[in-house]
Amino acid sequence: MANFDVRQCHKWAQLLDERKVKLDHALDAIEKQDFDSAKKLVSQIFAGVMGGKQADPGMAGSLLYHMAMVTKMESETQVLLDKLDISPPDVSTLLTKIYGEFYADAQELVKEFMLLNFDSQKIALIKRPSSEEKIELFNKLKEQQKKAETLLSNKDTKTEQALEKLFGDWAEQVILMRLLQEYETIRGLLILSELVKTLGLETVETAMEQVQDKFGQETVNIALDVTLKVGMRREKLQAVMLSDHFINMNMGMENLDGKMEFLNCPIYGSHRFAEEKYGVDPKTTALFCRHFCFAHAKAMLDTVLPFPFTLWQPKRLASEGICEYYLKLAYSPQAQKTERFVPLVMSWNVTRECNLKCSHCYLNADEKKLSNELSTQEGKQLMDQIHEVSRPLLVLSGGEPMLRPDIFELIEYGAKKGIKMGLGSNGYLIDDAVAKKLKTSGIATVSISLDSHISAQHDEFRGVDNAWERAVNACKSLRKNNVLVQVNTTLTHENYNQIDDIMSLAESIGVENFHLFFLVPTGRGTKLTDISPQKYENMITTTFAKVHRHRLNVRPSCAPQFMRIAQGMNMDMRQWIRGCIAGMYYCRIYPNGDVTPCPYMPIKLGNVREQSFKDIWFNSEIFKNLRNPNCLKGKCGACEYKIQCGGCRARAYGLSSDFIDYCGDLHVPSEQKKDYLAEDPWCVYQPKNYLPLSKISTES
């Protein structure tokens, strides 16, 4: 029988035991020459199973989690000591007693498949691994795993022996990291207890409040750095970081909110054991729930969620016996009422001025800015107006936004209001100094355009020499300053066969997000010959099929049919809201303050100089129609995927000779000219039970 509560403190052992059972089944399958079943089981053991009640991060996820938790618990204590400017008190006697009982648990729980070679008395002397050492260890195990999987694929007679050794090597490291984590957990609690005794609860709690945000961000950044460098995508970090918990999650777009319930917590479990058996004050243990754990959850969610959110913790394990977090996307305290449709993402063309001459520019950017662009003060007023509706990710784009002399002032103003600030740039003007200034101003993410892995081809497309080199260096400078980077690539005939190479380039320079833009015939883009609808379909399918080769988070843009394709490929779609979000969760602000549904649909819905953004967003008839899937026409209206996809409203609006005649390559917002609710002419899918009018008339 375990000393510590098994559910609270020993899920790590339960997961190892379940994987050992799977290993035994895999070895049996190999004996029976059922190699397909063996491969599936081996994948589950090491790569994990995501989603559902049987979710398991695999050996890889567990190791990353416990590596991160060692750092978390160790740095948590040190951050507090530094804040109080005090040396750690001696807690060795009680630490040895409590930790010895946890170590005895570990020995008992894993004895069926492993004998522990660690001495509980010497665990304090084991050097805590640096980020570089964690990466080296992880990659070494992954290489060993690759060799074992190759033996399995080749049906080699040495496969069984290799898999057993592989399991043992991974398990040994998972156990070691869990033992180190627990040591730091108990040590941190006992130090905190002594600090409360000597300094008082109020003084210690005040210090924890002051450093909690810094602590949360620093520890998650370390975990993220290791996770990305060992080849795991950012989107999986949440699953990894929650791997030692029993969790109920309920997230939905109906109210743009969600709830996470933690039914166990290894930290709380250890603290409760120390309370009940060794008399540690419960008020001390509750400090972790109120401050550090909340900060850690907030920082983790901020890392994995693309949209701004507000987080509450209505229930805590230390007081209610369950840990519950409630979050709401883009929540603004100034919003008067709860609405289903509010902006989660907005783009603001802060200027038309640009230093490049891109062939496809939807804005027809020029060397000169518009005479009536929003001023600095008007820009701040715009953000005030946006804040009355939601707190979205606001992407400042152009033209080239870095040409605005007040760009840092605008970023800082929005960030202080709680708006998540992004930047869409060609990268030409971003070096190390600029990247650092962007970070300190409050920028959260920057997207850089890269249209080829071949420098000369990119430069020709962008119309300026050295544009490619400047863009690549911008990505490197931004990552150096810990800014999240996204590469945007516009698909054309010229780079159609280069997408995999561009993704590899982006990955090699530290980029995490990759958006593949599909041409919409607006602005100067009307003069380019687009690829065929079938090539669009093929490109999305091919790109998704290659996602597993890369660490990148991939999303097609201006091709909402990707939702249908992803669903057909059984992909994890939780990271996406909908195909076309124009007017639902997204809109664009033109340099002069005109509001349009998206950058490629130049329908003027109002101007923020003349009426409030709130009035435009909630009362525009066009916005209301875009939010109602029953308004869609043609095959989009009849399609069984209209809720998930919606068809590209800009392409439906733009692909007509009348539209091009009206707007040419000026792309200035104006009143509605054509039908934005028509079917997307660039989608090849034929909905079930739908016959076009031409087909009906022919058959009749």
Side-chain angles (χ1 to χ4, degrees), residues 112-149:
E112 296 298 325
F113 56 87
M114 180 166 292
L115 294 175
L116 297 188
N117 295 318
F118 313 113
D119 186 337
S120 63
Q121 298 295 317
K122 297 180 180 178
I123 198 78
L125 302 177
I126 296 178
K127 181 178 177 293
R128 296 343 183 217
S130 65
S131 292
E132 292 72 23
E133 288 168 334
K134 291 175 183 176
I135 294 165
E136 182 181 358
L137 170 62
F138 194 94
N139 287 335
K140 182 179 178 181
L141 289 169
K142 289 291 288 185
E143 187 61 34
Q144 185 180 340
Q145 179 181 329
K146 188 184 297 184
K147 291 178 180 177
E149 289 172 343

mmCIF file of all heavy atoms in Angstrom, residues 112-149:
data_model
loop_
_atom_site.group_PDB
_atom_site.id
_atom_site.type_symbol
_atom_site.label_atom_id
_atom_site.label_comp_id
_atom_site.label_asym_id
_atom_site.label_seq_id
_atom_site.Cartn_x
_atom_site.Cartn_y
_atom_site.Cartn_z
ATOM 1 N N GLU A 112 7.543 -4.470 -10.621
ATOM 2 C CA GLU A 112 7.220 -5.532 -11.567
ATOM 3 C C GLU A 112 8.058 -5.453 -12.834
ATOM 4 O O GLU A 112 8.250 -6.454 -13.521
ATOM 5 C CB GLU A 112 5.734 -5.487 -11.920
ATOM 6 C CG GLU A 112 4.798 -5.760 -10.753
ATOM 7 C CD GLU A 112 4.996 -7.157 -10.170
ATOM 8 O OE1 GLU A 112 5.295 -8.084 -10.957
ATOM 9 O OE2 GLU A 112 4.873 -7.320 -8.943
ATOM 10 N N PHE A 113 8.546 -4.255 -13.172
ATOM 11 C CA PHE A 113 9.315 -4.152 -14.421
ATOM 12 C C PHE A 113 10.618 -3.375 -14.272
ATOM 13 O O PHE A 113 11.364 -3.236 -15.243
ATOM 14 C CB PHE A 113 8.469 -3.504 -15.534
ATOM 15 C CG PHE A 113 7.907 -2.152 -15.193
ATOM 16 C CD1 PHE A 113 8.640 -0.999 -15.410
ATOM 17 C CD2 PHE A 113 6.633 -2.038 -14.677
ATOM 18 C CE1 PHE A 113 8.120 0.244 -15.119
ATOM 19 C CE2 PHE A 113 6.097 -0.797 -14.376
ATOM 20 C CZ PHE A 113 6.844 0.358 -14.593
ATOM 21 N N MET A 114 10.928 -2.885 -13.060
ATOM 22 C CA MET A 114 12.191 -2.156 -12.929
ATOM 23 C C MET A 114 12.643 -2.108 -11.476
ATOM 24 O O MET A 114 11.841 -1.882 -10.563
ATOM 25 C CB MET A 114 12.039 -0.727 -13.465
ATOM 26 C CG MET A 114 13.318 0.094 -13.352
ATOM 27 S SD MET A 114 13.245 1.602 -14.321
ATOM 28 C CE MET A 114 13.241 0.912 -15.971
ATOM 29 N N LEU A 115 13.941 -2.310 -11.277
ATOM 30 C CA LEU A 115 14.551 -2.113 -9.970
ATOM 31 C C LEU A 115 15.207 -0.737 -9.967
ATOM 32 O O LEU A 115 16.024 -0.430 -10.846
ATOM 33 C CB LEU A 115 15.600 -3.204 -9.695
ATOM 34 C CG LEU A 115 15.056 -4.630 -9.551
ATOM 35 C CD1 LEU A 115 16.217 -5.606 -9.404
ATOM 36 C CD2 LEU A 115 14.117 -4.733 -8.351
ATOM 37 N N LEU A 116 14.855 0.096 -9.006
ATOM 38 C CA LEU A 116 15.399 1.451 -8.966
ATOM 39 C C LEU A 116 16.858 1.430 -8.516
ATOM 40 O O LEU A 116 17.203 0.783 -7.528
ATOM 41 C CB LEU A 116 14.574 2.320 -8.025
ATOM 42 C CG LEU A 116 13.111 2.546 -8.415
ATOM 43 C CD1 LEU A 116 12.483 3.589 -7.505
ATOM 44 C CD2 LEU A 116 12.984 2.979 -9.868
ATOM 45 N N ASN A 117 17.669 2.166 -9.265
ATOM 46 C CA ASN A 117 19.097 2.233 -8.952
ATOM 47 C C ASN A 117 19.465 3.555 -8.296
ATOM 48 O O ASN A 117 20.639 3.903 -8.193
ATOM 49 C CB ASN A 117 19.919 2.062 -10.239
ATOM 50 C CG ASN A 117 19.727 0.683 -10.839
ATOM 51 O OD1 ASN A 117 19.709 -0.307 -10.116
ATOM 52 N ND2 ASN A 117 19.573 0.625 -12.148
ATOM 53 N N PHE A 118 18.461 4.341 -7.889
ATOM 54 C CA PHE A 118 18.728 5.638 -7.283
ATOM 55 C C PHE A 118 18.689 5.506 -5.764
ATOM 56 O O PHE A 118 17.842 4.818 -5.213
ATOM 57 C CB PHE A 118 17.670 6.662 -7.731
ATOM 58 C CG PHE A 118 17.412 6.640 -9.196
ATOM 59 C CD1 PHE A 118 16.192 6.215 -9.695
ATOM 60 C CD2 PHE A 118 18.386 7.031 -10.093
ATOM 61 C CE1 PHE A 118 15.939 6.190 -11.050
ATOM 62 C CE2 PHE A 118 18.144 7.003 -11.449
ATOM 63 C CZ PHE A 118 16.926 6.581 -11.938
ATOM 64 N N ASP A 119 19.577 6.178 -5.105
ATOM 65 C CA ASP A 119 19.607 6.198 -3.649
ATOM 66 C C ASP A 119 18.855 7.435 -3.183
ATOM 67 O O ASP A 119 19.225 8.566 -3.501
ATOM 68 C CB ASP A 119 21.062 6.257 -3.170
ATOM 69 C CG ASP A 119 21.174 6.140 -1.660
ATOM 70 O OD1 ASP A 119 20.184 6.453 -0.975
ATOM 71 O OD2 ASP A 119 22.246 5.758 -1.181
ATOM 72 N N SER A 120 17.774 7.220 -2.408
ATOM 73 C CA SER A 120 16.954 8.353 -1.977
ATOM 74 C C SER A 120 17.754 9.357 -1.157
ATOM 75 O O SER A 120 17.432 10.546 -1.127
ATOM 76 C CB SER A 120 15.755 7.862 -1.159
ATOM 77 O OG SER A 120 16.181 7.219 0.027
ATOM 78 N N GLN A 121 18.811 8.906 -0.486
ATOM 79 C CA GLN A 121 19.621 9.819 0.319
ATOM 80 C C GLN A 121 20.509 10.718 -0.545
ATOM 81 O O GLN A 121 20.959 11.765 -0.109
ATOM 82 C CB GLN A 121 20.500 9.012 1.287
ATOM 83 C CG GLN A 121 19.721 8.169 2.291
ATOM 84 C CD GLN A 121 18.911 9.022 3.245
ATOM 85 O OE1 GLN A 121 19.394 10.037 3.732
ATOM 86 N NE2 GLN A 121 17.666 8.628 3.494
ATOM 87 N N LYS A 122 20.755 10.267 -1.787
ATOM 88 C CA LYS A 122 21.685 11.017 -2.641
ATOM 89 C C LYS A 122 20.983 11.783 -3.764
ATOM 90 O O LYS A 122 21.641 12.397 -4.594
ATOM 91 C CB LYS A 122 22.707 10.056 -3.253
ATOM 92 C CG LYS A 122 23.583 9.371 -2.215
ATOM 93 C CD LYS A 122 24.570 8.421 -2.867
ATOM 94 C CE LYS A 122 25.453 7.727 -1.828
ATOM 95 N NZ LYS A 122 26.384 6.753 -2.456
ATOM 96 N N ILE A 123 19.644 11.746 -3.763
ATOM 97 C CA ILE A 123 18.914 12.370 -4.859
ATOM 98 C C ILE A 123 19.199 13.873 -4.938
ATOM 99 O O ILE A 123 19.205 14.469 -6.013
ATOM 100 C CB ILE A 123 17.393 12.109 -4.724
ATOM 101 C CG1 ILE A 123 16.681 12.356 -6.064
ATOM 102 C CG2 ILE A 123 16.765 12.968 -3.644
ATOM 103 C CD1 ILE A 123 16.845 11.245 -7.035
ATOM 104 N N ALA A 124 19.469 14.487 -3.797
ATOM 105 C CA ALA A 124 19.750 15.925 -3.775
ATOM 106 C C ALA A 124 21.048 16.256 -4.496
ATOM 107 O O ALA A 124 21.243 17.382 -4.966
ATOM 108 C CB ALA A 124 19.812 16.429 -2.337
ATOM 109 N N LEU A 125 21.938 15.272 -4.591
ATOM 110 C CA LEU A 125 23.242 15.526 -5.210
ATOM 111 C C LEU A 125 23.223 15.348 -6.724
ATOM 112 O O LEU A 125 24.187 15.717 -7.403
ATOM 113 C CB LEU A 125 24.291 14.587 -4.600
ATOM 114 C CG LEU A 125 24.470 14.685 -3.074
ATOM 115 C CD1 LEU A 125 25.480 13.647 -2.605
ATOM 116 C CD2 LEU A 125 24.903 16.096 -2.679
ATOM 117 N N ILE A 126 22.141 14.770 -7.239
ATOM 118 C CA ILE A 126 22.063 14.583 -8.691
ATOM 119 C C ILE A 126 21.905 15.934 -9.364
ATOM 120 O O ILE A 126 21.011 16.719 -9.022
ATOM 121 C CB ILE A 126 20.885 13.663 -9.068
ATOM 122 C CG1 ILE A 126 21.112 12.256 -8.501
ATOM 123 C CG2 ILE A 126 20.707 13.591 -10.576
ATOM 124 C CD1 ILE A 126 19.984 11.295 -8.780
ATOM 125 N N LYS A 127 22.745 16.217 -10.308
ATOM 126 C CA LYS A 127 22.715 17.512 -10.999
ATOM 127 C C LYS A 127 21.435 17.652 -11.817
ATOM 128 O O LYS A 127 21.072 16.768 -12.582
ATOM 129 C CB LYS A 127 23.938 17.636 -11.912
ATOM 130 C CG LYS A 127 24.037 18.950 -12.671
ATOM 131 C CD LYS A 127 25.310 18.990 -13.499
ATOM 132 C CE LYS A 127 25.414 20.263 -14.328
ATOM 133 N NZ LYS A 127 24.389 20.306 -15.381
ATOM 134 N N ARG A 128 20.750 18.767 -11.611
ATOM 135 C CA ARG A 128 19.538 19.009 -12.390
ATOM 136 C C ARG A 128 19.936 19.334 -13.823
ATOM 137 O O ARG A 128 20.788 20.191 -14.050
ATOM 138 C CB ARG A 128 18.726 20.161 -11.812
ATOM 139 C CG ARG A 128 18.125 20.009 -10.412
ATOM 140 C CD ARG A 128 18.039 18.635 -9.880
ATOM 141 N NE ARG A 128 17.384 18.567 -8.557
ATOM 142 C CZ ARG A 128 17.749 17.752 -7.626
ATOM 143 N NH1 ARG A 128 18.809 16.948 -7.810
ATOM 144 N NH2 ARG A 128 17.095 17.680 -6.484
ATOM 145 N N PRO A 129 19.338 18.666 -14.808
ATOM 146 C CA PRO A 129 19.768 18.871 -16.196
ATOM 147 C C PRO A 129 19.398 20.255 -16.729
ATOM 148 O O PRO A 129 18.318 20.783 -16.427
ATOM 149 C CB PRO A 129 19.010 17.774 -16.956
ATOM 150 C CG PRO A 129 17.813 17.474 -16.106
ATOM 151 C CD PRO A 129 18.245 17.679 -14.694
ATOM 152 N N SER A 130 20.298 20.828 -17.501
ATOM 153 C CA SER A 130 20.018 22.090 -18.190
ATOM 154 C C SER A 130 19.123 21.813 -19.393
ATOM 155 O O SER A 130 18.886 20.650 -19.752
ATOM 156 C CB SER A 130 21.321 22.725 -18.669
ATOM 157 O OG SER A 130 21.936 21.887 -19.651
ATOM 158 N N SER A 131 18.631 22.862 -20.035
ATOM 159 C CA SER A 131 17.795 22.677 -21.224
ATOM 160 C C SER A 131 18.556 21.915 -22.304
ATOM 161 O O SER A 131 18.010 21.025 -22.963
ATOM 162 C CB SER A 131 17.337 24.040 -21.763
ATOM 163 O OG SER A 131 16.439 24.652 -20.858
ATOM 164 N N GLU A 132 19.832 22.251 -22.477
ATOM 165 C CA GLU A 132 20.639 21.587 -23.504
ATOM 166 C C GLU A 132 20.810 20.097 -23.183
ATOM 167 O O GLU A 132 20.757 19.247 -24.076
ATOM 168 C CB GLU A 132 22.011 22.259 -23.616
ATOM 169 C CG GLU A 132 21.995 23.677 -24.184
ATOM 170 C CD GLU A 132 21.421 24.702 -23.219
ATOM 171 O OE1 GLU A 132 21.429 24.442 -21.990
ATOM 172 O OE2 GLU A 132 20.945 25.759 -23.688
ATOM 173 N N GLU A 133 21.003 19.782 -21.907
ATOM 174 C CA GLU A 133 21.167 18.382 -21.515
ATOM 175 C C GLU A 133 19.858 17.604 -21.668
ATOM 176 O O GLU A 133 19.856 16.429 -22.034
ATOM 177 C CB GLU A 133 21.674 18.310 -20.079
ATOM 178 C CG GLU A 133 23.132 18.747 -19.943
ATOM 179 C CD GLU A 133 23.556 18.955 -18.498
ATOM 180 O OE1 GLU A 133 22.678 19.260 -17.647
ATOM 181 O OE2 GLU A 133 24.760 18.825 -18.211
ATOM 182 N N LYS A 134 18.744 18.261 -21.396
ATOM 183 C CA LYS A 134 17.439 17.616 -21.601
ATOM 184 C C LYS A 134 17.243 17.280 -23.077
ATOM 185 O O LYS A 134 16.792 16.183 -23.429
ATOM 186 C CB LYS A 134 16.319 18.539 -21.124
ATOM 187 C CG LYS A 134 16.257 18.749 -19.621
ATOM 188 C CD LYS A 134 15.186 19.778 -19.277
ATOM 189 C CE LYS A 134 15.143 20.080 -17.795
ATOM 190 N NZ LYS A 134 14.165 21.145 -17.472
ATOM 191 N N ILE A 135 17.569 18.226 -23.925
ATOM 192 C CA ILE A 135 17.409 18.025 -25.371
ATOM 193 C C ILE A 135 18.309 16.895 -25.852
ATOM 194 O O ILE A 135 17.895 16.038 -26.639
ATOM 195 C CB ILE A 135 17.711 19.340 -26.129
ATOM 196 C CG1 ILE A 135 16.652 20.396 -25.776
ATOM 197 C CG2 ILE A 135 17.760 19.108 -27.634
ATOM 198 C CD1 ILE A 135 17.032 21.800 -26.172
ATOM 199 N N GLU A 136 19.542 16.889 -25.367
ATOM 200 C CA GLU A 136 20.492 15.840 -25.765
ATOM 201 C C GLU A 136 19.992 14.463 -25.327
ATOM 202 O O GLU A 136 20.033 13.495 -26.100
ATOM 203 C CB GLU A 136 21.859 16.125 -25.147
ATOM 204 C CG GLU A 136 22.928 15.119 -25.551
ATOM 205 C CD GLU A 136 24.282 15.404 -24.918
ATOM 206 O OE1 GLU A 136 24.397 16.415 -24.187
ATOM 207 O OE2 GLU A 136 25.226 14.612 -25.138
ATOM 208 N N LEU A 137 19.514 14.360 -24.102
ATOM 209 C CA LEU A 137 18.991 13.097 -23.595
ATOM 210 C C LEU A 137 17.779 12.648 -24.402
ATOM 211 O O LEU A 137 17.677 11.477 -24.805
ATOM 212 C CB LEU A 137 18.609 13.249 -22.120
ATOM 213 C CG LEU A 137 17.819 12.088 -21.492
ATOM 214 C CD1 LEU A 137 18.641 10.808 -21.516
ATOM 215 C CD2 LEU A 137 17.403 12.437 -20.069
ATOM 216 N N PHE A 138 16.864 13.559 -24.634
ATOM 217 C CA PHE A 138 15.644 13.228 -25.367
ATOM 218 C C PHE A 138 15.979 12.753 -26.782
ATOM 219 O O PHE A 138 15.443 11.740 -27.256
ATOM 220 C CB PHE A 138 14.740 14.458 -25.428
ATOM 221 C CG PHE A 138 13.335 14.155 -25.858
ATOM 222 C CD1 PHE A 138 12.351 13.917 -24.925
ATOM 223 C CD2 PHE A 138 12.990 14.098 -27.203
ATOM 224 C CE1 PHE A 138 11.050 13.630 -25.313
ATOM 225 C CE2 PHE A 138 11.705 13.809 -27.602
ATOM 226 C CZ PHE A 138 10.725 13.573 -26.656
ATOM 227 N N ASN A 139 16.845 13.466 -27.459
ATOM 228 C CA ASN A 139 17.198 13.098 -28.835
ATOM 229 C C ASN A 139 17.915 11.747 -28.899
ATOM 230 O O ASN A 139 17.752 10.985 -29.849
ATOM 231 C CB ASN A 139 18.068 14.187 -29.472
ATOM 232 C CG ASN A 139 17.262 15.438 -29.804
ATOM 233 O OD1 ASN A 139 16.045 15.361 -29.992
ATOM 234 N ND2 ASN A 139 17.924 16.574 -29.871
ATOM 235 N N LYS A 140 18.709 11.451 -27.874
ATOM 236 C CA LYS A 140 19.392 10.161 -27.823
ATOM 237 C C LYS A 140 18.378 9.024 -27.720
ATOM 238 O O LYS A 140 18.482 7.997 -28.411
ATOM 239 C CB LYS A 140 20.350 10.130 -26.630
ATOM 240 C CG LYS A 140 21.152 8.840 -26.495
ATOM 241 C CD LYS A 140 22.092 8.914 -25.296
ATOM 242 C CE LYS A 140 22.871 7.608 -25.134
ATOM 243 N NZ LYS A 140 23.781 7.663 -23.948
ATOM 244 N N LEU A 141 17.369 9.211 -26.871
ATOM 245 C CA LEU A 141 16.321 8.199 -26.737
ATOM 246 C C LEU A 141 15.496 8.073 -28.013
ATOM 247 O O LEU A 141 15.100 6.973 -28.412
ATOM 248 C CB LEU A 141 15.416 8.540 -25.553
ATOM 249 C CG LEU A 141 16.038 8.364 -24.165
ATOM 250 C CD1 LEU A 141 15.157 8.983 -23.094
ATOM 251 C CD2 LEU A 141 16.286 6.887 -23.865
ATOM 252 N N LYS A 142 15.219 9.207 -28.653
ATOM 253 C CA LYS A 142 14.451 9.175 -29.896
ATOM 254 C C LYS A 142 15.212 8.445 -31.002
ATOM 255 O O LYS A 142 14.620 7.722 -31.816
ATOM 256 C CB LYS A 142 14.125 10.602 -30.354
ATOM 257 C CG LYS A 142 13.095 11.311 -29.504
ATOM 258 C CD LYS A 142 11.708 10.710 -29.650
ATOM 259 C CE LYS A 142 11.091 11.042 -30.992
ATOM 260 N NZ LYS A 142 9.697 10.559 -31.087
ATOM 261 N N GLU A 143 16.513 8.619 -31.040
ATOM 262 C CA GLU A 143 17.332 7.925 -32.039
ATOM 263 C C GLU A 143 17.317 6.424 -31.778
ATOM 264 O O GLU A 143 17.223 5.611 -32.704
ATOM 265 C CB GLU A 143 18.766 8.462 -31.997
ATOM 266 C CG GLU A 143 19.670 7.933 -33.104
ATOM 267 C CD GLU A 143 19.184 8.279 -34.491
ATOM 268 O OE1 GLU A 143 18.604 9.373 -34.663
ATOM 269 O OE2 GLU A 143 19.376 7.452 -35.415
ATOM 270 N N GLN A 144 17.390 6.052 -30.517
ATOM 271 C CA GLN A 144 17.307 4.641 -30.139
ATOM 272 C C GLN A 144 15.941 4.075 -30.529
ATOM 273 O O GLN A 144 15.830 2.937 -31.016
ATOM 274 C CB GLN A 144 17.520 4.517 -28.625
ATOM 275 C CG GLN A 144 17.572 3.081 -28.109
ATOM 276 C CD GLN A 144 17.785 3.042 -26.597
ATOM 277 O OE1 GLN A 144 18.248 4.004 -25.993
ATOM 278 N NE2 GLN A 144 17.428 1.930 -25.985
ATOM 279 N N GLN A 145 14.918 4.885 -30.328
ATOM 280 C CA GLN A 145 13.564 4.463 -30.695
ATOM 281 C C GLN A 145 13.444 4.254 -32.206
ATOM 282 O O GLN A 145 12.825 3.284 -32.666
ATOM 283 C CB GLN A 145 12.565 5.528 -30.225
ATOM 284 C CG GLN A 145 11.115 5.215 -30.573
ATOM 285 C CD GLN A 145 10.197 6.332 -30.107
ATOM 286 O OE1 GLN A 145 10.461 7.002 -29.115
ATOM 287 N NE2 GLN A 145 9.115 6.553 -30.831
ATOM 288 N N LYS A 146 14.023 5.143 -32.969
ATOM 289 C CA LYS A 146 13.965 5.037 -34.428
ATOM 290 C C LYS A 146 14.602 3.727 -34.909
ATOM 291 O O LYS A 146 14.088 3.052 -35.805
ATOM 292 C CB LYS A 146 14.676 6.231 -35.074
ATOM 293 C CG LYS A 146 14.516 6.309 -36.586
ATOM 294 C CD LYS A 146 15.336 7.455 -37.182
ATOM 295 C CE LYS A 146 14.867 8.787 -36.674
ATOM 296 N NZ LYS A 146 15.606 9.912 -37.319
ATOM 297 N N LYS A 147 15.711 3.356 -34.288
ATOM 298 C CA LYS A 147 16.384 2.115 -34.671
ATOM 299 C C LYS A 147 15.515 0.902 -34.352
ATOM 300 O O LYS A 147 15.428 -0.043 -35.150
ATOM 301 C CB LYS A 147 17.732 2.009 -33.947
ATOM 302 C CG LYS A 147 18.769 3.033 -34.421
ATOM 303 C CD LYS A 147 20.064 2.903 -33.625
ATOM 304 C CE LYS A 147 21.095 3.927 -34.097
ATOM 305 N NZ LYS A 147 22.346 3.853 -33.286
ATOM 306 N N ALA A 148 14.862 0.929 -33.192
ATOM 307 C CA ALA A 148 13.989 -0.193 -32.818
ATOM 308 C C ALA A 148 12.795 -0.294 -33.766
ATOM 309 O O ALA A 148 12.379 -1.395 -34.156
ATOM 310 C CB ALA A 148 13.509 -0.019 -31.386
ATOM 311 N N GLU A 149 12.245 0.862 -34.152
ATOM 312 C CA GLU A 149 11.103 0.861 -35.068
ATOM 313 C C GLU A 149 11.510 0.375 -36.460
ATOM 314 O O GLU A 149 10.718 -0.254 -37.168
ATOM 315 C CB GLU A 149 10.492 2.256 -35.134
ATOM 316 C CG GLU A 149 9.760 2.633 -33.850
ATOM 317 C CD GLU A 149 9.328 4.084 -33.829
ATOM 318 O OE1 GLU A 149 9.856 4.881 -34.635
ATOM 319 O OE2 GLU A 149 8.464 4.430 -32.987
#
